[in-house]
Amino acid sequence: MQVLRRGTSNVADVVRKAVYAPGRRSAGTHSDALARMRWPLICTTNYDDVYLRAAMSQAALARRRDVPRVRGRSEDDCRSVLQQLALPTGELLWCLQGFLKPEPFTVELGKKKALLDVLDSLAPGADLSSEIVLSHSEYRSVTHRMPHFRRCFSEVFRSRSLLFLGSGLTETYFRSLFDEVIELVGPSSRPHFALVRKGSLDREFMRSHYHTMLIEYEADKDQGHSEVGAFLDGLVDADRAQRVRSQAWGWKVPRTTAPVSGAIDRGDATPDFTIVRAPLLLRRSALRPGDIVGVSCGRKLDRPMPGSATSDVLKKELEGEPTWRSDYLVSWAGSEAWLRGIVARDPDILKSREARSPGAVYAAFEQFLDDAQRANKTVALVQLLAAGHLKTFESWMSLVQMARAYGRWAQEQHAKGNALLKVVVYLYRDDDVLALMNGGYLDIAENLEDAPMRLFLETIDVTGRVQRQHWMIEASKSLRDVSSFGGLSSSPAIHVLPVPGKGVEPVPFRHIADAPLSSLGLVSGSTLVADYRAASISAAEARASAT
C-alpha cells in the first residue's frame, strides 16, 4: 500500500484487478443465502459488490425494484445510517472500509434477462473507492481521525443486535471500536451473535466482555466453510416459518362530542381502523352484508389497471372493463354493490409512475370512504394503495396517508352524527411495512388523530456543515412558515427524504416557498433538507429553468 500510495497508480483500479476475478464472477457465494432475508442494515468490511449483486438479483426475481442503498464513512453517509436506525426502511449497506465502483450485470428472469444497474445503489456523485483502507496504519487513521464515524458505529453497536459473519473478530480493528464504546457508554443491552470457526475465539471472553454469543462450526477437511451455508439456509427457513407474532393491529377513533353526563359508553369495542397481516380475499361469496372491497389500481394513460395478482382473481369474478366513477375511483358492471378500484394517481398527470404521490393516496382514499359511506356500507376491506412492485415511494408512506385520511374523515362523520364506516387494511408481502409495525416505528394513532407532522429539518450550509432540528407542524403550513427557512437572503435547494416519488429532484426554495408542506410529499417521519451548497443550488436552478 505504501508503494501504491506513493506512485502514480490508481489504487482503486489495482485493488479491483486483485479482487474481481472475471472467471469467477458468476460463482455462488454465501451472500446468495444471506440475501434471501431482509436486513435493514448490513455493515461490511468488504470492498466488493458480491452481497449487493446477490440482494439485487433476489429483488429482481421477486419482481421488486428495491435497491440496497450503499453508504460510506463520510458525515453525510453516517447521517444516513442514523436515519436508517430511526426509520429502518429498505436495505442500507454500510461500507466501513470503502467500496469498489460496481458494474452493471444481467440476471436470468425465466426466459428473459434483466440488466441491473448497481450504480443506482450509490448516492449521486459518490465515489467510495477513495475510502478504501487496507493496512493496519490506515485502519488506525480512520478510527482515530473520524469521530463522527466512531460515534455512528457506537450507536449501531448499542442499539441493534448484530450477527457477525466472516467479519474477522480476531482483528484489533474491530476490538478497538468495541472497547471504546464499552469504555465510554457501557456494554450493549442487546446481545450480539457471531458465526465462527470452532476454537478461533474464546467463547467466555466474547460473552462477558462484548455480550457476543458464539455460534461455532467445524471447518471442512480442506478448511472450507460449507456449514456456514447450511446455517444461513436454516436461518432463512426459520424466519419464514410460522411463529408467534402480531397478526393484527387496531385503533378506535374517539368522538369529538362529549358523552351524556353519567352515561356508560356501551359502544362497539371493535376497532375503527385495523391493519391485518394477510392477503385480501377477493371473492364475493366471502363477504358479509355491508362489506365493500377496495383494490389498488394503477393507470396506463387513462385506463385503470388492477395489479397483476388482483387481476388474476378478478377475472374469475368480473366481466368487462372498469368505468370511472370519479377522479380516483372505478367500478365494474355488476359489481358496484361490493367492489371499487382505487386509483391513487394524480389525475392531471398521464404517466402512471410520475402521477404517484403520497398526496394522491390521501385524496383517493378519502374519496373511497365518502363513496362507501353514501352506499351505506359498514366495513371496508382495502389493499395498501400504491405499494406494488413498481412503487415510487416507500410503502409505509401510503399507510400513513391512509391513516391520516381516515382520521380526519372519521372526525367529520362524528361531527355530523353519522355512523362510522370501519376500515380493515390488508398487508401482504409488504415486508418493510410489517417490519416497521412489529418494531413500533410507525405511530398509527398519531396519524389517525391527524396530529401535526413530526419532521426533521436539515440545513446544509456552503461548507457542508449540517444543522438538524425537530419540528411539529401542520401539514397545511407552507415552507415560509418554517422559521428556519424564513427570511433567507439566498435560496437553498429543497428536497425530501425519503423521496416521495419517481424523478423528484431538489427545487429552489423560492419556487415552492408558499406551497403547503403536504404538497411536497412530506409525512410524519420525513426529513426536509435545505442545501445551500452552490452545486446543489445551480443544479436545481437549471432544472427549474428547463421546466
Side-chain angles (χ1 to χ4, degrees), residues 34 39 43-45 96 153 156-157 160-170 174-175 177-178 190-197 201 206 210-215 217 228 231-232:
L34 199 63
W39 301 96
C43 307
T44 180
T45 56
L96 305 179
F153 185 88
V156 171
F157 185 74
R160 292 295 184 272
S161 185
L162 301 174
L163 169 64
F164 293 98
L165 176 68
S167 57
L169 285 177
T170 55
F174 263 131
R175 296 282 186 86
L177 284 172
F178 300 162
R190 297 177 180 272
H192 305 302
F193 302 89
L195 188 61
V196 299
R197 190 170 58 187
L201 290 171
M206 294 299 295
Y210 299 119
H211 205 176
T212 300
M213 315 303 169
L214 301 188
I215 305 168
Y217 64 90
V228 173
F231 169 83
L232 291 175

Side-chain angles (χ1 to χ4, degrees), residues 284 317-323 325 331-340:
R284 187 173 187 177
E317 298 278 346
L318 307 173
E319 294 181 0
E321 293 291 322
T323 57
R325 297 175 65 89
S331 61
W332 288 261
S335 68
E336 292 92 341
W338 66 278
L339 180 66
R340 297 289 185 273

Side-chain angles (χ1 to χ4, degrees), residues 73 205 234 238 258 447 499:
R73 296 189 305 270
F205 177 81
N447 290 287
V499 179

